[in-house]
Amino acid sequence: MTIESEGTVKSAPLQSPVSAELAGELIDTVLASLEDSKAEDIVTLDIAEKSSLADHMVIASGRSHRHVSAIADHLLRDLKDAGHGTAAVEGQSTCDWVLIDAGDVIVHIFRPEVRGFYNLEKMWAPETDTAPQYIG
């Protein structure tokens, strides 16, 4: 926010071109890692208008506890290697549902039964969009 000489307040843009570029690199890293790990039913949701928590939500499935754990480990390593730092992680002890908060992108990795129960796609999907964007 900047204050102009006449005392009026002018809002700064929510996202600078540099941060938009970093967010694009981040989502690209996340999607490449998930595809590399053979995650299933990958969905991306643009939640920038719905929440200040993040710009994107990515939801994916693993076939088993072990697969969910491997996907999460691979993603965390890829994020760090790409220079996005260490992401916050929840749920890695049970691997039914692992949440990875990478800043502008929040990633949910589920076992299929758990994903069906919580149905985050329906909760976060835009009202005008009847179907989320499936990647793989």
Side-chain angles (χ1 to χ4, degrees):
M1 196 178 309
T2 59
I3 299 176
E4 296 180 349
S5 60
E6 299 168 359
T8 58
V9 177
K10 186 175 181 180
S11 295
L14 291 176
Q15 200 174 47
S16 70
V18 173
S19 63
E21 184 179 321
L22 289 175
E25 290 175 14
L26 178 59
I27 191 79
D28 290 346
T29 300
V30 167
L31 294 174
S33 179
L34 292 174
E35 289 175 9
D36 222 26
S37 298
K38 306 291 188 237
E40 299 176 349
D41 300 323
I42 302 168
V43 174
T44 61
L45 299 171
D46 183 346
I47 62 169
E49 298 295 320
K50 288 190 165 200
S51 174
S52 61
L53 295 174
D55 291 336
H56 299 280
M57 182 179 294
V58 178
I59 304 169
S61 295
R63 294 179 299 278
S64 64
H65 296 284
R66 182 174 284 184
H67 190 213
V68 168
S69 178
I71 293 168
D73 288 341
H74 188 245
L75 177 56
L76 291 168
R77 186 175 55 251
D78 286 348
L79 288 170
K80 193 168 187 177
D81 290 348
H84 297 292
T86 305
V89 183
E90 293 291 330
Q92 210 165 12
S93 60
T94 60
C95 292
D96 281 331
W97 173 4
V98 176
L99 180 142
I100 298 174
D101 183 350
D104 287 335
V105 178
I106 297 174
V107 182
H108 298 274
I109 308 167
F110 290 100
R111 282 189 316 103
E113 306 81 37
V114 179
R115 181 175 180 171
F117 179 78
Y118 287 102
N119 199 4
L120 291 183
E121 292 94 329
K122 184 177 180 182
M123 182 187 319
W124 285 95
E127 290 81 25
T128 58
D129 193 7
T130 57
Q133 179 185 359
Y134 284 88
I135 303 296

